[in-house]
Structure formats: structure tokens, C-alpha cells
Amino acid sequence: MRPPTEISVFLLSLLAPGVLYTMNNIPALQEPLVILGMGAVILGSVLLLLFLTVRHKAKVDPLFYVFAEFSFTCLVGLTNALEQDGFISGFMGFYIKMGEPHLTTAYALMMSYWEGIVHFILFLVIIHRMFSGETSDFLSCRKSYRSLGLLWAGSSIAHQIVHIPGVVIGKYGSNIRPAFWRNIPFFLAPFWAASLLFSRPREMQIITADKIAAEQKKSLLFRPIDLLLSLLLLGSMAFSVFRGFVVLDCSLDTCFTYIYQYEPYLKDPVGFPRVMMLVYLFYALPLLTVFIYGLKTPGCSWMLDWTIFVAGAMAQTQWCHIGASLHSRTPFTYRVPADKRLPVIALNALLAAAPALLALRCHTNPAYFMKPVPAGQSNSKKKEN
């Protein structure tokens, strides 16, 4: 009897620390180009093993290979985080020296913890759901993990669009080694996965047309939760604009006071906090704006997907930002001052919570966001694109 697929993926992922330990003890495998080549060989071998694992299955979602391959790299990241924080040793020395030296930074460690714990658990749950209904139709099998996939896609894309530019423009930009470019496929794969997930139909709750119509007749003032969420989104937008100006060296006294007395981490030369604030300014800000529109305008069914995607993105970036600004690997002068920790952490936590609460609201009571159906009918678990 074969073990469940998610168990096979879990066991395969556990090989990652062993591979790192072996390479760390064989000098011939520690040259920059050799590290890049070995990385490609190892990932290719993992892909082959995954194919052999599911070859007996009638249909396999191509996203399985993405999620399972990323599961392996999750434990590489977790191994790095544990070693840099002193819990283990003897695994990552060669890679830090000849591969990606920026992985010793506080922001990279927080990314590694998020990847090695949150993403890894998500992957195992998604893979379990992929194969938990193998006797049923392939489409109905896959729709149960669509939302989890979008949550991961948002988180992973946010990870990479801060990580890669942050390395290039930060203080490690002058020491980029060949192994750094292995991040390119990991940058592209989440975009491909997100495009597939967005294009698939979503499963809707059974809600009568009368209830949908009644909900959509209410103005924002008569929907106190939506009104509160709109105000929270407006606050998040204002905070994103303000910190965007701060990292762009705005000369206002308020900006100067904030960066020196509240969040000096924003001027850390590693580059990650600056890139993150610019991503918020140019990408998160427009998305938060259209979410307010979606809360005000009935029938915006796209809210059900995009709120999950953005919630994943902002949870990941805020975790990394808060953790890095407090971590001992961040130079003392760039850490949040002890007497300012409470307001800074509270503001950043609210920024992460706003899209998460919005996504939760959209999925617990989606009637307002559904497209109208003829009176007297229900949406009968219809699938909407």
C-alpha cells in the first residue's frame, strides 16, 4: 500500500538538510558555479522523484509539481534560519560564503522562517486536498484548494518581488554570485501558478437571489462591518503612502522624526525595507483602493479572490518587516527603539490584519459580492469566473 502523497512529499523534503550537510563537507562542491549547477541537478532529481511518486495516478494537476518542489526548498530555508539563529550548525556555511551571503540578514531569516513553516504547511495541506478525492471528478477535486493556492501565490510573489530587488539594490548587490540566479524560476513559478488558479472557476455558497438582492440594497452606512473595514483600509493606505515618502527621503519633519525615532529599520542599507515600502506604495496602494470600491459597489465577485491573494502578500511582508526590525541580526542603530516598540508593532500588525479581515469577511458572508441572479432562484453552488 502506497503512503498518502503528502507524506511522500514530506519525507522527500526531509532530504534537504542532508543534501546541504553533504555539500558543506565536500570542498569540491563549494565553488560558485558548481553550487549553481548542483542546485539545478538536485531540483531536477527532486522533480523526477515526484514524477515517479505520482506516475500511477490517472490525473495529476501540474501545480502539484510546483507545490511539491517548493516544499523541498522550504526546508532549505528553514535549515538556514535555524543555523543562523544558532539552533543547528554545519549545514549552510558553504552556501552563505559562496552562494547567497544576504541570507544571513534578519529580513532573509524571517523570510526563511515564513517559508519553512507557513508555506510548508500550506503545501502539505494543498497536496492532501489534491489527492483526497481521487475517485471524483478532477475539477471538483481541485477546487477545494484554490483559495489556499491563491493565499500562497500572494505570499510567494510578495516574497520574491522584495527579495530579488532588495538584494540587487542593497549592500549585497556588489557581491552577487551565480547561485543567486536560481531565484529566477522561483520568481516566475508563482506568477504562473497564480494565473492558473485565477483562471479556474470558484465554488460559491448556495444563497438565494432574494438574500443577495436584499444584501446588495444596503448602503455602506448600513453595513457597519464593511464601513469599519473601509476605514481600516483607508488608514492602511495613508500609512503606506507615508512610509513610501519616508524611504524616498521626504524632507518633512514628520518623516524625519518617524525614520529616526520610530522605524530606523527603514534606512537599513540591506535594501529590503526600502523595496518593501515602494512595493506598498506602487502596488498595494492601488489594490487597497479598489477594495474600498468593491466594498461600496455590489456584485464585485473578484473581491473573493483578490482579497485572499493580497492578504497572503501583506501577511508575509509584514511578518518579515516586523521580525527583521526587532531581530538581533539587525544592527542596533536600525532596530525599533525599545520605548517605541508598542506603537510600531501595533501599526504594522494592523496593516497585516486589514486585508486578512477583509478576506475573512468576503468569504464568511459573500452575498454582497455575488453577481445578481433572477429572483426566486439561488446560485445553486454556481461556479463563477
Side-chain angles (χ1 to χ4, degrees):
M1 182 177 177
R2 295 185 178 91
T5 307
E6 66 273 15
I7 299 299
S8 299
V9 171
F10 175 77
L11 294 174
L12 182 59
S13 300
L14 291 180
L15 295 176
V19 171
L20 291 171
Y21 184 82
T22 301
M23 292 185 68
N24 195 54
N25 287 279
I26 301 178
L29 301 179
Q30 297 174 11
E31 293 300 319
L33 285 174
V34 175
I35 292 174
L36 179 61
M38 282 299 297
V41 170
I42 291 166
L43 292 176
S45 301
V46 170
L47 191 61
L48 177 60
L49 290 173
L50 291 171
F51 175 77
L52 295 175
T53 300
V54 296
R55 69 186 186 282
H56 62 282
K57 299 186 183 293
K59 291 183 179 179
V60 178
D61 189 326
L63 288 178
F64 162 75
Y65 298 103
V66 175
F67 297 142
E69 188 92 354
F70 273 62
S71 298
F72 183 86
T73 63
C74 283
L75 289 199
V76 173
L78 185 59
T79 302
N80 173 63
L82 293 173
E83 177 159 329
Q84 303 312 316
D85 275 341
F87 295 106
I88 57 176
S89 62
F91 294 86
M92 294 295 297
F94 80 100
Y95 194 77
I96 296 300
K97 182 179 179 181
M98 305 302 292
E100 296 186 79
H102 65 273
L103 292 180
T104 59
T105 64
Y107 193 95
L109 293 190
M110 301 313 293
M111 286 194 300
S112 295
Y113 278 122
W114 183 270
E115 187 179 17
I117 299 173
V118 178
H119 283 183
F120 189 59
I121 292 172
L122 271 177
F123 290 142
L124 294 180
V125 173
I126 289 171
I127 292 168
H128 169 73
R129 292 190 177 188
M130 277 183 174
F131 298 103
S132 61
E134 291 177 303
T135 57
S136 62
D137 174 71
F138 180 50
L139 177 61
S140 45
C141 215
R142 73 188 182 192
K143 60 192 175 186
S144 62
Y145 59 83
R146 183 174 181 272
S147 294
L148 288 177
L150 288 173
L151 186 70
W152 163 77
S155 174
S156 189
I157 289 172
H159 170 135
Q160 294 295 348
I161 62 175
V162 173
H163 174 212
I164 294 176
V167 173
V168 174
I169 73 167
K171 70 177 185 179
Y172 290 95
S174 60
N175 193 27
I176 292 177
R177 298 181 180 274
F180 171 74
W181 301 111
R182 62 97 190 169
N183 289 293
I184 298 302
F186 292 100
F187 173 75
L188 297 174
F191 283 96
W192 175 72
S195 68
L196 282 184
L197 291 165
F198 274 118
S199 67
R200 292 177 178 177
R202 73 175 71 90
E203 184 183 45
M204 307 295 287
Q205 297 180 21
I206 300 176
I207 302 177
T208 64
D210 295 337
K211 183 176 180 180
I212 293 174
E215 194 69 24
Q216 294 183 350
K217 285 179 182 177
K218 297 178 183 178
S219 71
L220 188 60
L221 294 176
F222 292 94
R223 289 179 284 121
I225 293 178
D226 291 353
L227 179 61
L228 183 61
L229 285 170
S230 297
L231 295 175
L232 192 56
L233 290 175
L234 283 170
S236 300
M237 290 165 60
F239 192 42
S240 298
V241 171
F242 174 68
R243 293 202 296 183
F245 285 167
V246 168
V247 299
L248 290 173
D249 298 325
C250 175
S251 59
L252 291 174
D253 290 343
T254 307
C255 295
F256 183 85
T257 301
Y258 186 81
I259 199 169
Y260 281 96
Q261 296 186 17
Y262 289 86
E263 281 200 85
Y265 181 63
L266 295 178
K267 56 187 178 70
D268 191 329
V270 293
F272 300 122
R274 174 171 293 188
V275 172
M276 178 181 151
M277 295 307 119
L278 294 178
V279 167
Y280 275 20
L281 183 62
F282 294 113
Y283 295 97
L285 181 63
L287 286 167
L288 296 177
T289 303
V290 297
F291 287 165
I292 293 177
Y293 170 83
L295 285 171
K296 185 178 179 298
T297 307
C300 295
S301 58
W302 47 264
M303 288 278 286
L304 301 174
D305 291 339
W306 281 95
T307 52
I308 294 177
F309 181 86
V310 174
M314 294 189 72
Q316 192 274 344
T317 50
Q318 286 302 114
W319 159 264
C320 294
H321 181 73
I322 295 171
S325 66
L326 303 172
H327 199 280
S328 60
R329 280 189 172 268
T330 296
F332 181 78
T333 53
Y334 296 122
R335 289 183 223 160
V336 176
D339 60 334
K340 299 295 192 302
R341 285 184 179 178
L342 183 59
V344 170
I345 292 174
L347 283 171
N348 279 284
L350 281 173
L351 192 57
L357 291 172
L358 178 59
L360 183 63
R361 180 265 177 269
C362 290
H363 285 265
T364 53
N365 184 19
Y368 185 80
F369 308 103
M370 290 183 174
K371 293 178 181 178
V373 293
Q377 297 183 17
S378 74
N379 63 325
S380 300
K381 251 186 180 180
K382 68 178 181 178
K383 293 167 187 173
E384 292 188 3
N385 290 317

